[in-house]
């Protein structure tokens, strides 16, 4: 049977405390080896990817709607906590209206070599700190044929709740890992057979249209942080630098939008 929780300070809900505190969660979730999945769709995608829940937290009405998840959890000895909306909101910091939360065991990240093996289109995300942008990049990667995503050491966590939600759970669909150190990883990717393509407004950049005509066989597309873009060292290390042709006096796009445009332009057309 689900476990009723009536006190928001109940220590059994420790995994779910202050979910809206980005600084706190950025630190504590990786340290404790967990992440939070929100909504039925996201939880099911995480489970389909082989991730293991530590516990569930849901409002009473969702026990019936998610009966199969509850049954599987109880059979596996995973606690299912049920609480009123005001108790959940007091614990998490927001009103839960997407069905359920799951505290998930954070999987061990694979090596760069394992993630990119066989891939022809890889996206590298350098120091993008906004979780919404990271999630949007993953969603575009899944939709537009990128076969892997690599994130730099200072990039926002793809398994943070907002990143997962914005990605619609595609962070569980697209293979990914951290590439560390970076930008030394440029040479690593080149050694694995990739042409490293940096997106930047440098003087020697070429139009994305030109590269689209005859793209390299294997492309590692590198996109950079909001505002500052890619580091000078990354741009200097890349094999080619590209820019998106712009109109209307606009010089750049949001990083997630720019990544999507480039992924579409350089997609494999077999």
């Amino acid at each position: 049977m689900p476990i009723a929780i009536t006190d928001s300070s109940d220590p059994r809900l420790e995994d779910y405390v202050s979910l809206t505190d980005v600084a706190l969660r950025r630190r504590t979730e990786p340290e404790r080896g967990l992440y939070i999945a929100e909504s039925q769709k996201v939880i099911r995608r995480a489970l389909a990817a082989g991730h293991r829940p530590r516990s569930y937290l849901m409002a009473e009405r969702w026990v019936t709607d998610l009966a199969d998840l509850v049954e599987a959890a109880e059979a596996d000895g995973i606690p299912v906590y049920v609480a009123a909306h005001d108790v959940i909101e007091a614990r998490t910091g927001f009103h839960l209206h997407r069905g359920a939360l799951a505290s998930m065991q954070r999987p061990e990240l694979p090596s760069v070599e394992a993630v990119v093996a066989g891939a022809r289109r890889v996206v590298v995300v350098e120091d993008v700190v906004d979780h919404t942008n990271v999630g949007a990049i993953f969603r575009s990667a899944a939709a537009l044929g990128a076969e892997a995503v690599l994130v730099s050491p200072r990039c926002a966590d793809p398994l943070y709740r907002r990143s997962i939600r914005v990605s619609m759970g595609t962070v569980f669909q697209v293979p990914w890992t951290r590439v560390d150190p970076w930008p030394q990883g440029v040479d690593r990717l080149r050694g694995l057979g990739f042409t490293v393509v940096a997106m930047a407004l440098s003087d020697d950049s070429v139009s994305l249209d030109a590269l689209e005509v005859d793209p390299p066989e294997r492309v590692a597309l590198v996109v950079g942080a909001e505002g500052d873009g890619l580091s000078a060292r990354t741009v200097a290390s890349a094999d080619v630098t590209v820019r998106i042709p712009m109109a209307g006096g606009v010089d750049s796009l949001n990083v997630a939008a720019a990544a999507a445009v480039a992924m579409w332009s350089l997609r494999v057309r077999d």
Side-chain angles (χ1 to χ4, degrees):
M1 292 289 293
I3 303 165
I5 301 291
T6 58
D7 183 355
S8 63
S9 64
D10 192 311
R12 290 174 292 183
L13 299 186
E14 183 181 9
D15 286 357
Y16 302 97
V17 67
S18 302
L19 295 185
T20 56
D21 187 330
V22 176
L24 172 67
R25 304 305 300 191
R26 184 185 293 140
R27 180 178 69 255
T28 59
E29 287 188 14
E31 284 180 356
R32 295 173 57 198
L34 66 92
Y35 69 89
I36 300 296
E38 177 191 352
S39 84
Q40 177 179 177
K41 178 181 290 186
V42 166
I43 291 170
R44 292 188 186 280
R45 284 191 170 178
L47 294 174
H51 294 199
R52 180 175 173 79
R54 295 155 55 104
S55 68
Y56 292 97
L57 174 61
M58 61 185 70
E60 183 77 40
R61 59 157 294 198
W62 292 98
V63 173
T64 300
D65 291 354
L66 301 176
D68 60 322
L69 293 185
V70 174
E71 182 180 357
E74 292 181 336
D76 204 15
I78 297 165
V80 178
Y81 301 118
V82 176
H85 279 292
D86 59 340
V87 174
I88 295 174
E89 185 170 355
R91 187 63 174 181
T92 65
F94 73 102
H95 182 74
L96 176 63
H97 61 279
R98 296 175 183 269
L101 295 168
S103 171
M104 305 292 292
Q105 198 70 46
R106 186 176 285 263
E108 184 176 345
L109 290 178
S111 68
V112 170
E113 287 75 11
V115 166
V116 305
R120 289 183 288 175
R121 296 295 182 268
V122 172
V123 178
V124 184
V125 187
E126 179 185 275
D127 299 354
V128 172
V129 297
D130 184 272
H131 293 93
T132 297
N133 283 332
V134 171
I137 290 170
F138 269 87
R139 188 173 180 180
S140 294
L144 301 176
E147 296 144 301
V149 175
L150 303 176
V151 297
S152 72
R154 292 189 299 222
C155 185
D157 184 9
L159 292 182
Y160 183 70
R161 184 173 60 90
R162 181 177 291 276
S163 298
I164 297 172
R165 187 172 71 245
V166 172
S167 80
M168 297 296 290
T170 55
V171 292
F172 309 122
Q173 177 180 333
V174 181
W176 71 275
T177 195
R178 288 199 181 269
V179 54
D180 189 9
W182 183 263
Q184 295 91 324
V186 169
D187 290 334
R188 189 175 180 183
L189 288 168
R190 188 178 294 112
L192 292 170
F194 287 93
T195 298
V196 179
V197 176
M199 295 194 71
L201 299 175
S202 61
D203 293 338
D204 61 349
S205 62
V206 300
S207 171
L208 185 59
D209 290 343
L211 191 64
E212 180 182 355
V213 174
D214 186 22
E217 178 65 23
R218 303 184 80 192
V219 173
L221 177 71
V222 190
V223 297
E226 305 89 347
D228 294 336
L230 291 174
S231 68
R233 185 174 175 186
T234 297
V235 173
S237 301
D239 297 302
V240 60
T241 305
V242 299
R243 66 183 184 280
I244 298 172
M246 298 283 178
V250 177
D251 65 355
S252 63
L253 298 174
N254 164 273
V255 62
V261 169
M263 282 186 252
W264 170 256
S265 181
L266 299 177
R267 69 193 185 280
V268 175
R269 292 174 168 81
D270 290 349

